[in-house]
């Protein structure tokens, strides 16, 4: 018992994030069965999936804001927090990990009694602290709307130090399931939601093609009215007896049971899609608006993800968009074709898609099929032979971050690119070279700070001038980020890494910064090599530097 | 005193202590946690 390690996971965000937390923690538990895992979460998000949480966590601590304020005053609420934390801190944890990255979670994490902390917390000066590099990656990339190449579940696994990629065993009884299709046509934001008329067309077509299937529309009580509007469509009147609206009348546990007995799930990137990955139900996920498919797609090798090829996708929550152009990029015929392949056991390949869909359909939608490799979940793009520049950089970043943050070398090939993409990549050569120089200046000036601070003369003026130079480097990096936006991931990471420099005096912090700038320049050099290798086949030797 | 007023008073006290170079107590961190929760829910 004394040798047992105690790990506390803090996950204060929504149900979908909790399911992804379960999936990551299941893996650390599988590798380390003796670990005692505890969860700290919000009751309103955790209570609906307690049946899932209990399969992984040994202890579950739930709270709700209104319960803290039961006495009706702030002093009473503070005392209530104190009592709650006494319960949570009944032991000293070996490790506490904050997967939430919210302001409230950062303060809560500070109250946890743990030997080591990962993820966001605050020190006694209320300053944000992020000590581990994977958490710095989340803070600088994931939270900063950079389109990352990793699933959130994999990021959680990497933070926890999982070595293997474990997956749930396939359902041997899949073909014994009833002919049910579960649909979730709802989403929390308008931008993420494919219009009702498109869902209408989809349901009508699948119902016509698959006369033996029943349809189940799931959602929350808030979705009930919209569900009724969908069902009231004249186009669906002839098949109304085959559609059941569960929105508002069943719990998450009921939805889970429904998915366990379904042959297909079709919906948006949402909690229900994550639940479908737990029930091993093949899924078609429509990703729109602000969704970043690689990051938030359900963690399963039975997912086909559809996303628009619009330049503006994915957008940010703050971006104004009235016309929702990305919604029209996904035609219902693409979804029905894929649905047919899944239900009839056809292998989904690029050739299959090209045979069954027109170029008109395929030109506007990215179709990705999920799978596992030794790094975790990855997606094969089936709709395109060549990668665009965003996907090329995603591939570069995946190799770089797995090497730098996890120490693992992947066998990921550099993507095939078109001449047009090579031309866009060529533009980044000057940005990468400039960044390399900036980081090398960073190494030099950090070394000069150390020399000046350690010197007999204690030349404060010189030290200050070198510190000013480092500030200038930060500014120039910020400008580089604007001109070369796909370098943002690298620049932001090392900015956050530098901001969390270890050490409590100028010399120690500067020594950390030397290593920081050195690592940064090395990664930039690697990226430069990748770009070079990618564009070289497209270069006309006579026209280098002018056109590719 | 309303909860809002209590919060303002507590936050002012915390800021004053931080400006004086003092470290936050568990109670003050709990105050900040609760305030952040209310902000996020709003």
């Amino acid at each position: 018992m004394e040798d047992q390690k105690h790990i506390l996971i803090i996950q204060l965000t929504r149900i979908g994030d909790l399911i992804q937390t379960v999936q990551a923690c299941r893996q650390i538990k599988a590798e380390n069965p003796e670990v005692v895992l505890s969860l700290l979460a919000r009751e309103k998000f955790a209570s609906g999936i307690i049946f899932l949480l209990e399969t992984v966590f040994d202890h579950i601590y739930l709270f709700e804001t209104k319960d803290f304020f039961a006495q009706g005053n702030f002093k009473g609420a503070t005392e209530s927090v104190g009592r709650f934390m006494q319960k949570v801190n009944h032991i000293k944890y070996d490790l506490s990990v904050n997967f939430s990255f919210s302001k409230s979670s950062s303060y809560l994490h500070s109250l946890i009694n743990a030997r080591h902390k990962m993820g966001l917390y605050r020190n006694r000066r209320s300053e944000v602290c992020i000590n581990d590099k994977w958490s710095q990656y989340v803070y600088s990339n994931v939270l900063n709307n950079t389109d990352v190449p990793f699933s959130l579940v994999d990021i959680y696994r990497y933070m926890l130090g999982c070595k293997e990629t474990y997956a749930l065993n396939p359902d041997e009884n899949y073909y014994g399931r009833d002919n049910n299709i579960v649909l979730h046509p709802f989403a929390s934001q308008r931008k993420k939601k494919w219009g009702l008329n498109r869902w209408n067309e989809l349901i009508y077509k699948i119902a016509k093609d698959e006369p033996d299937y029943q349809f189940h529309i799931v959602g929350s009580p808030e979705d009930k009215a919209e569900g009724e509007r969908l069902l009231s469509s004249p186009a669906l009147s002839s098949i109304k007896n085959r559609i059941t609206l569960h929105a508002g009348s069943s719990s998450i546990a009921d939805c889970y049971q429904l998915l366990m007995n379904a042959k297909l799930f079709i919906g948006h990137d949402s909690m229900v899609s994550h639940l479908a990955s737990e029930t091993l139900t093949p899924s078609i996920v429509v990703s729109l608006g602000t969704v970043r498919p690689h990051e938030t797609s359900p963690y399963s090798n039975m997912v086909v993800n559809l996303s628009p090829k619009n330049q503006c996708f994915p957008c940010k929550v703050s971006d104004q968009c009235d016309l929702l152009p990305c919604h029209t990029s996904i035609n219902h015929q693409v979804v029905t074709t894929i649905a047919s392949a899944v239900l009839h056991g056809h292998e989904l390949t690029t050739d299959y898609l090209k045979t069954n869909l027109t170029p008109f359909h395929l030109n506007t939608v990215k179709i990705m099929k999920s799978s596992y490799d030794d790094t975790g979940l990855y997606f094969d793009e089936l709709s395109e032979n060549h990668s665009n520049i965003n996907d090329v950089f995603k591939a570069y970043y995946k190799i770089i971050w797995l090497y730098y943050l996890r120490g693992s070398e992947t066998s990921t090939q550099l993507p095939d690119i078109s001449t047009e993409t090579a031309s866009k990549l060529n533009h980044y050569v000057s940005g990468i070279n400039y960044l390399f120089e900036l980081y090398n200046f960073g190494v030099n000036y950090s070394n000069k700070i150390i020399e000046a601070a350690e010197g007999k003369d204690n030349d404060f003026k010189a030290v200050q001038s070198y510190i000013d130079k480092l500030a200038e480097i930060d500014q120039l990096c910020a400008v580089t980020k604007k001109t070369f936006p796909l370098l943002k991931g690298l620049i932001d990471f090392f900015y956050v890494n530098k901001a969390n420099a270890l050490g409590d005096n100028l010399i120690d912090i500067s020594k950390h910064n030397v290593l920081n700038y050195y690592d940064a320049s090395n990664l930039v050099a690697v990226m430069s090599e990748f770009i070079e290798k990618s564009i070289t086949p497209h270069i006309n030797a006579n026209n280098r530097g002018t056109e590719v | 005193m309303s909860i809002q007023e209590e919060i303002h008073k507590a936050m002012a006290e915390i800021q004053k202590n931080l400006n004086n170079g003092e470290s936050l107590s568990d109670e003050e961190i709990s105050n900040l946690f609760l305030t952040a929760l209310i902000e996020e829910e709003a």
Side-chain angles (χ1 to χ4, degrees), chain A residues 241-416:
Chain A
N241 59 333
R242 291 166 58 194
I243 308 174
T244 309
L245 178 63
H246 297 266
S249 60
S250 51
S251 64
I252 298 174
D254 294 331
C255 181
Y256 182 92
Q257 292 300 326
L258 203 52
L259 285 163
M260 286 275 283
N261 192 28
K263 287 203 171 124
L264 177 63
F265 166 76
I266 307 175
H268 299 116
D269 194 302
S270 67
M271 177 272 288
V272 185
S273 67
H274 292 300
L275 217 52
S277 70
E278 285 291 290
T279 59
L280 303 168
T281 308
S283 302
I284 300 172
V285 175
V286 178
S287 298
L288 297 165
T290 57
V291 172
R292 291 174 294 191
H294 277 88
E295 185 188 319
T296 58
S297 212
Y299 200 74
S300 155
N301 61 352
M302 291 185 284
V303 173
V304 178
N305 189 289
L306 308 179
S307 58
K309 284 185 180 172
N310 300 63
Q311 287 289 325
C312 55
F313 174 83
C315 58
K316 296 191 205 112
V317 172
S318 53
D319 291 338
Q320 275 280 83
C321 184
D322 295 318
L323 297 175
L324 305 174
C326 65
H327 290 212
T328 54
S329 297
I330 301 180
N331 187 287
H332 77 274
Q333 275 174 275
V334 175
V335 188
T336 56
T337 301
I338 295 168
S340 174
V342 171
L343 294 174
H344 295 280
H346 299 308
E347 199 192 344
L348 201 60
T349 59
T350 306
D351 286 339
Y352 180 91
L353 292 171
K354 284 182 172 168
T355 306
N356 291 281
L357 289 165
T358 67
F360 168 75
H361 293 128
L362 290 174
N363 281 349
T364 57
V365 62
K366 185 186 277 192
I367 302 171
M368 299 193 293
K369 189 170 171 318
S370 65
S371 191
Y372 293 118
D373 65 10
D374 52 6
T375 66
L377 192 74
Y378 78 94
F379 283 96
D380 259 325
E381 193 183 337
L382 303 180
S383 47
E384 186 85 69
N385 290 329
H386 295 126
S387 299
N388 63 34
I389 191 169
N390 292 314
D391 291 337
V392 169
F393 267 92
K394 263 217 276 273
Y396 295 162
Y397 277 124
K398 185 168 181 177
I399 299 170
I400 284 170
W401 293 130
L402 281 175
Y403 179 72
Y404 182 63
L405 299 176
R406 195 165 157 76
S408 61
E409 293 189 32
T410 74
S411 53
T412 308
Q413 300 279 347
L414 292 183
D416 288 329

Side-chain angles (χ1 to χ4, degrees), chain A residues 80-139:
Chain A
S80 185
V81 169
R83 285 191 296 275
F84 176 72
M85 292 315 299
Q86 263 186 330
K87 220 169 53 171
V88 174
N89 282 327
H90 73 281
I91 50 145
K92 185 166 186 167
Y93 296 95
D94 294 282
L95 174 67
S96 58
V97 187
N98 183 5
F99 282 157
S100 316
F101 292 87
S102 63
K103 191 175 174 186
S104 60
S105 72
S106 71
Y107 286 116
L108 185 62
H109 199 186
S110 309
L111 295 171
I112 298 298
N113 192 10
R115 286 192 181 83
H116 303 287
K117 293 189 179 185
M118 293 177 73
L120 204 61
Y121 70 97
R122 302 258 175 171
N123 62 19
R124 293 281 157 167
R125 300 276 311 145
S126 190
E127 292 159 342
V128 166
C129 296
I130 319 168
N131 294 336
D132 65 289
K133 286 187 173 164
W134 270 113
S135 298
Q136 289 170 4
Y137 173 77
V138 173
Y139 193 76

Side-chain angles (χ1 to χ4, degrees), chain A residues 231-246:
Chain A
L231 289 191
S232 66
S233 160
L236 300 182
S237 57
S238 60
I239 52 162
K240 226 169 160 179
N241 59 333
R242 291 166 58 194
I243 308 174
T244 309
L245 178 63
H246 297 266

Side-chain angles (χ1 to χ4, degrees), chain A residues 42 65 74 78 104 124, chain B residues 6 18 24 26 31 40-41:
Chain A
R42 303 193 56 174
T65 312
F74 196 56
T78 306
S104 60
R124 293 281 157 167
Chain B
E6 279 189 88
L18 284 175
L24 294 175
D26 278 359
N31 287 347
E40 284 162 16
E41 286 183 12

Side-chain angles (χ1 to χ4, degrees), chain A residues 12 42 44 63-66 68-69 72-78 81-82 85 102-105 107-108 110-111 122-126, chain B residues 1 3 6-7 10-11 14 17-41:
Chain A
L12 304 190
R42 303 193 56 174
K44 68 180 177 191
F63 71 87
E64 209 42 78
T65 312
K66 60 175 173 56
F68 287 142
F69 283 92
N73 60 69
F74 196 56
K75 187 169 185 301
T78 306
V81 169
M85 292 315 299
S102 63
K103 191 175 174 186
S104 60
S105 72
Y107 286 116
L108 185 62
S110 309
L111 295 171
R122 302 258 175 171
N123 62 19
R124 293 281 157 167
R125 300 276 311 145
S126 190
Chain B
M1 208 190 298
I3 290 178
E6 279 189 88
I7 291 174
M11 292 302 113
I14 287 170
N17 291 341
L18 284 175
N19 291 343
N20 288 339
E22 290 173 34
S23 296
L24 294 175
S25 63
D26 278 359
E27 190 184 321
E28 285 168 328
I29 293 181
S30 299
N31 287 347
L32 289 163
F33 164 59
L34 285 167
T35 308
L37 267 184
I38 292 169
E39 276 172 16
E40 284 162 16
E41 286 183 12

